[in-house]
Amino acid sequence: MIKNSSIQLVMDTMRVDEVLADFLHLKRRGVNLLANCPFHDEKTPSFTISPAKGIYKCFGCGKSGNSVTFLMEHENISYVDAIRYLAKKYNITLEETVATGEEIQKSQEKESLFILNDFANQYFQKNLHETEIGKTLALAYFKERGFSEKTIRDFQLGYCLDMRDELYKALKRQGFNEEYIAQLGLAKKYDDGGWRDFFRGRIMFPIHNLSGKVVGFGGRVMGNAEKTAKYINSPENDIYHKSHVLYGLHVAKRAIPKENYCILVEGYTDVISLYQAGVENAVASSGTALTVEQLKLIRRFTENLHILYDGDKAGIKAALRGTDLALESGLNVNLTLLKEGHDPDSFVKEYGGQALKDYIQSHSSDIVTFKAKLYKEEAGSDPVKRADLTKDIIQTISLVPDNIKRSFYIKECAILMGIEEELLSRESQRIINQRRKKQQTDNQKRDAEESSYTSNLEEIEQDVRQLGEYSSNLITIEKELCKILLEHGDKPIEAIQDTDNPFFDDVKVVDYVFTRHLENFEFESAICKKLFYHIKENFEAGNVYPLTHYLHHTDTEIAAFAIEHCQQDAETLMDWNKNKKNKRLKIKQYGENYRLEVDQILEQIKIAYLEKLGKQIMAITSQAIGFNLLYNEDAKKYLLVQQEFLNQFKELRGNSSYIFRKLIK
């Protein structure tokens, strides 16, 4: 296990802007930074990063946290691995204690696949650089393709020995689980009980996720592949989903925002050759059509996508796959077809990287213009073909979400196809309306299916609401109490000292709260209870911490509460109000007289707690009377207790200076 002192060192060192910049394209907005939220689909940035506080907050979906919580959720990794990631980023050596067998097993259940892939990746690289056959065959092949030693190491290229089970044996010697070996597709067990390495005899291209972890592999045969597939890839598994990954993005993610466009190519070697030639903003979809998840990855760094494929028919067909989906996602899509006989790899080898950049700028066409010219050439003078192809183009244009862009595409198509602009505009709107109507029908059908299920739960939900009513008000007040302890606990209870009443001089908010805490009070909220007593323990030990301590607390629950419930800075709120004028943010502001605020909160807690007890008494009374409404001695006793309690409670509430939202009935 990692020592707390090491975890705290990581927490103190990490900078949220530096960490998130590895995954998002950040734009400066005053003292804060903005980005498109990676946790939900949005076109207007609402994901706000505060470097001063070390936290982020999305005002669209509500996600918030610090660098650790971001890594845990975004990369789907454990708390421990998030700490390890940050330690590696900041060159911090972690001190660890010996973990128990149970702790090791728990950690490895989630991370063993990554660990196994990392070992295999190192094994393949070692084969390439340190074995005679690897250097003679595979390394020579890479160098023949023009890859430098630096490029080979940057992309961690490797070689799997052409032997039956050498990798499997190496993995077993390290104690790796056979189930995980099979799941990752590194080796396969046959009916005779023996194992065969899946990638044997192939050069290896490791596939990385955005943070640089190896999630899978691509293996290519050297030379001609007449009797076997030219490329084979790792099967999909718990850490590798082909539709969620773009090859090379882990190295291109810094260059893409700088160039303000992403180049999409078809294969691994295209990405590597372009990178070596100085074109570092290229990624590959690995031969598959673009998916929603891949497009979301691109949109984090730029809104401009340039598709660069071969100029032959196969290249044109490949280039058009997924373009409609890209337009629908809000990307500006341009296509560039290379001279026939060239692919991106061969082009940069012959002409260089700068020539490719110049070629893209001078030969690229937006998707609508590209389709119109292509279809016009295909259809010739055949009116039926021209009509069908025009409809296809209008289908594409109707997917563009931006009205202004869509109108320009319609104008351009009208000119190229020789058709009235108004006619194309009406047809586009008809398709949009038809799509919306279908979406509404689908939603209604889904809602109907859900309502039949929901109706069966109505009685249960009603019971739950009734049981939860008495505690909901108390939980809200408990959160408010914890919030004032976190934000203002280290501040004087009265910022302006009263010379006539020096009793509260040098008294902090925490002193005041903990000397007035109700005895035997039971919290309704588990996190509030945990946080309250954690602060109290620190107070009793002589430690009173500011809010920043809790924003980066090693306990993720405490840090999450602090980030979620404590104040955002005024500039962030102003930015959000500018972007969302129809929204009204109501955030409680505390003044300098914390004593009044604390007194009100403690008074609320007392009365809410009494309210809870009152409802419990009423429930007991109802149970004593029973379903037959028998007015027996027990019922009479409970009713008298209830009546006395309610009278005292109403008197107490009536004398209170605070107005409550809930009333006892």
Side-chain angles (χ1 to χ4, degrees):
M1 295 178 64
I2 304 171
K3 287 186 176 181
N4 285 335
S5 57
S6 290
I7 293 175
Q8 196 59 57
L9 178 60
V10 170
M11 293 288 192
D12 294 340
T13 306
M14 67 187 187
R15 287 183 53 86
V16 69
D17 50 331
E18 294 175 349
V19 175
L20 270 62
D22 290 340
F23 303 91
L24 306 173
H25 178 39
L26 307 181
K27 297 179 181 178
R28 176 67 61 181
R29 176 70 63 85
V31 297
N32 293 326
L33 298 161
L34 286 179
N36 285 329
C37 180
F39 301 115
H40 81 286
D41 194 21
E42 64 175 5
K43 294 178 175 62
T44 301
S46 61
F47 191 82
T48 303
I49 299 99
S50 171
K53 292 184 177 179
I55 60 174
Y56 63 86
K57 169 80 175 180
C58 177
F59 289 96
C61 67
K63 294 282 187 183
S64 60
N66 56 25
S67 299
V68 175
T69 54
F70 179 87
L71 289 169
M72 289 172 67
E73 186 154 5
H74 187 270
E75 295 301 295
N76 192 27
I77 59 177
S78 67
Y79 175 81
V80 171
D81 282 299
I83 294 295
R84 293 190 192 283
Y85 176 93
L86 291 167
K88 184 178 180 181
K89 178 178 177 66
Y90 290 103
N91 296 315
I92 296 171
T93 302
L94 297 175
E95 295 183 34
E96 301 191 41
T97 58
V98 178
T100 65
E102 184 180 350
E103 289 167 340
I104 294 171
Q105 183 180 356
K106 185 177 180 181
S107 174
Q108 286 188 344
E109 281 177 0
K110 188 167 182 66
E111 299 305 318
S112 57
L113 296 180
F114 282 116
I115 295 168
L116 209 165
N117 264 348
D118 185 61
F119 179 87
N121 188 35
Q122 293 179 41
Y123 170 86
F124 294 141
Q125 291 181 74
K126 187 176 180 180
N127 288 343
L128 180 70
H129 295 284
E130 297 182 18
T131 67
E132 284 302 318
I133 193 168
K135 289 187 284 188
T136 304
L137 292 178
L139 191 58
Y141 175 84
F142 282 132
K143 291 188 174 180
E144 187 181 332
R145 294 293 301 261
F147 297 157
S148 68
E149 185 75 20
K150 180 181 181 302
T151 299
I152 292 169
R153 293 191 182 276
D154 283 348
F155 283 87
Q156 300 175 1
L157 305 181
Y159 174 62
C160 185
L161 298 173
D162 193 8
M163 302 176 75
R164 173 174 163 157
D165 55 2
E166 281 301 300
L167 172 60
Y168 169 76
K169 288 178 181 177
L171 295 173
K172 288 298 292 180
R173 283 195 295 270
Q174 294 297 316
F176 287 113
N177 189 309
E178 289 185 347
E179 181 184 343
Y180 296 146
I181 295 172
Q183 185 183 153
L184 291 173
L186 295 171
K188 182 179 179 181
K189 188 175 184 179
Y190 283 80
D191 294 338
D192 61 2
W195 287 76
R196 308 285 193 281
D197 293 343
F198 184 63
F199 293 105
R200 59 187 182 277
R202 292 175 180 265
I203 53 174
M204 300 301 297
F205 299 85
I207 301 166
H208 301 79
N209 63 14
L210 197 57
S211 63
K213 283 193 171 186
V214 178
V215 293
F217 295 94
R220 188 195 191 283
V221 296
M222 292 176 285
N224 296 324
E226 297 178 357
K227 298 181 179 180
T228 185
K230 185 177 180 181
Y231 280 97
I232 56 174
N233 295 308
S234 298
E236 296 221 342
N237 52 65
D238 290 345
I239 62 171
Y240 177 51
H241 302 281
K242 195 174 185 179
S243 62
H244 292 209
V245 178
L246 286 166
Y247 181 77
L249 186 58
H250 70 294
V251 294
K253 62 187 178 184
R254 292 193 180 278
I256 291 171
K258 185 179 177 182
E259 298 290 340
N260 197 24
Y261 69 96
C262 174
I263 299 174
L264 179 73
V265 294
E266 193 168 10
Y268 306 136
T269 55
D270 293 331
V271 172
I272 298 169
S273 291
L274 265 60
Y275 173 87
Q276 183 171 276
V279 184
E280 298 179 3
N281 55 326
V283 299
S285 60
S286 303
T288 62
L290 284 168
T291 65
V292 172
E293 291 79 12
Q294 290 171 334
L295 292 167
K296 284 181 180 178
L297 285 174
I298 293 170
R299 284 196 74 247
R300 291 186 197 176
F301 302 99
T302 184
E303 293 184 350
N304 302 307
L305 175 64
H306 284 257
I307 300 175
L308 179 66
Y309 276 24
D310 307 356
D312 56 19
K313 288 184 178 180
I316 294 171
K317 185 178 179 181
L320 291 174
R321 286 185 300 180
T323 52
D324 284 357
L325 200 59
L327 281 175
E328 194 172 9
S329 72
L331 286 169
N332 303 315
V333 184
N334 287 272
L335 282 83
T336 303
L337 296 181
L338 295 170
K339 301 174 183 177
E340 196 163 345
H342 272 300
D343 57 27
D345 177 27
S346 64
F347 189 97
V348 293
K349 283 174 181 172
E350 184 169 341
Y351 301 107
Q354 187 57 50
L356 178 66
K357 291 181 181 180
D358 295 340
Y359 187 88
I360 289 173
Q361 294 301 320
S362 60
H363 289 78
S364 67
S365 300
D366 66 77
I367 180 63
V368 174
T369 303
F370 180 87
K371 271 192 172 184
K373 289 180 178 178
L374 178 67
Y375 290 171
K376 186 177 181 180
E377 186 179 333
E378 283 185 9
S381 58
D382 188 328
V384 176
K385 280 187 178 180
R386 286 174 66 89
D388 289 341
L389 294 174
T390 301
K391 287 179 182 178
D392 185 271
I393 296 171
I394 290 298
Q395 285 279 358
T396 296
I397 293 174
S398 69
L399 294 170
V400 178
D402 186 275
N403 292 331
I404 296 174
K405 286 182 184 177
R406 192 165 62 246
S407 66
F408 274 106
Y409 281 137
I410 288 171
K411 186 185 291 291
E412 194 172 6
C413 181
I415 294 170
L416 289 170
M417 301 301 290
I419 301 174
E420 291 182 15
E421 182 181 336
E422 186 179 349
L423 177 64
L424 295 181
S425 182
R426 285 202 306 269
E427 179 64 15
S428 174
Q429 193 59 49
R430 184 189 68 80
I431 293 170
I432 292 170
N433 293 338
Q434 192 177 51
R435 191 179 295 124
R436 285 174 181 167
K437 187 176 180 180
K438 184 179 182 302
Q439 184 64 48
Q440 289 174 355
T441 303
D442 292 343
N443 290 341
Q444 289 170 359
K445 183 179 179 182
R446 187 182 65 251
D447 291 343
E449 291 173 353
E450 290 178 356
S451 65
S452 63
Y453 172 75
T454 304
S455 62
N456 295 329
L457 301 177
E458 283 183 354
E459 291 184 6
I460 298 173
E461 289 177 351
Q462 186 176 357
D463 291 340
V464 171
R465 282 196 299 270
Q466 289 174 348
L467 290 171
E469 277 179 1
Y470 74 82
S471 63
S472 60
N473 192 39
L474 185 55
I475 290 174
T476 302
I477 301 165
E478 289 171 2
K479 287 180 178 179
E480 198 67 25
L481 174 62
C482 289
K483 178 179 172 182
I484 200 170
L485 283 172
L486 288 173
E487 276 195 286
H488 309 292
D490 61 325
K491 298 182 178 69
I493 191 69
E494 288 187 346
I496 302 174
Q497 295 184 352
D498 187 351
T499 55
D500 296 328
N501 184 13
F503 179 78
F504 295 109
D505 291 0
D506 301 322
V507 175
K508 289 184 167 53
V509 171
V510 287
D511 299 291
Y512 192 81
V513 170
F514 292 128
T515 55
R516 282 155 179 76
H517 176 48
L518 287 170
E519 293 296 327
N520 301 319
F521 177 71
E522 295 180 5
F523 278 85
E524 287 291 327
S525 166
I527 181 59
C528 287
K529 179 179 180 180
K530 178 181 183 178
L531 187 53
F532 183 89
Y533 285 106
H534 177 74
I535 297 172
K536 188 177 182 182
E537 285 175 11
N538 285 332
F539 166 72
E540 290 172 348
N543 299 316
V544 179
Y545 296 111
L547 173 61
T548 51
H549 171 81
Y550 297 100
L551 291 173
H552 303 288
H553 203 279
T554 55
D555 187 315
T556 53
E557 285 187 329
I558 291 176
F561 183 95
I563 292 165
E564 178 66 24
H565 294 284
C566 292
Q567 298 284 11
Q568 300 293 324
D569 54 83
E571 184 177 1
T572 297
L573 300 179
M574 288 174 63
D575 287 343
W576 175 244
N577 278 323
K578 286 176 185 176
N579 292 331
K580 303 287 183 182
K581 293 181 180 179
N582 60 327
K583 302 261 182 161
R584 296 286 183 185
L585 295 178
K586 295 183 179 179
I587 295 180
K588 186 171 179 61
Q589 301 288 339
Y590 288 105
E592 293 181 331
N593 191 352
Y594 296 114
R595 183 159 63 92
L596 176 61
E597 301 290 350
V598 171
D599 284 342
Q600 287 181 341
I601 291 171
L602 293 177
E603 189 177 4
Q604 289 180 72
I605 286 179
K606 291 176 184 178
I607 295 181
Y609 190 55
L610 288 173
E611 180 182 359
K612 170 187 172 180
L613 293 175
K615 294 205 171 185
Q616 288 176 333
I617 291 172
M618 284 187 274
I620 295 170
T621 304
S622 300
Q623 188 177 11
I625 294 174
F627 292 106
N628 296 324
L629 300 177
L630 297 175
Y631 189 68
N632 53 31
E633 288 302 315
D634 286 340
K636 183 177 180 180
K637 179 178 67 176
Y638 284 119
L639 283 170
L640 288 172
V641 172
Q642 174 181 309
Q643 189 61 48
E644 179 64 23
F645 176 87
L646 290 177
N647 288 338
Q648 291 185 21
F649 178 74
K650 287 178 182 178
E651 183 180 353
L652 176 64
R653 184 175 55 78
N655 293 333
S656 174
S657 61
Y658 198 90
I659 299 173
F660 296 97
R661 293 179 296 171
K662 293 176 66 66
L663 299 174
I664 290 292
K665 296 180 181 178

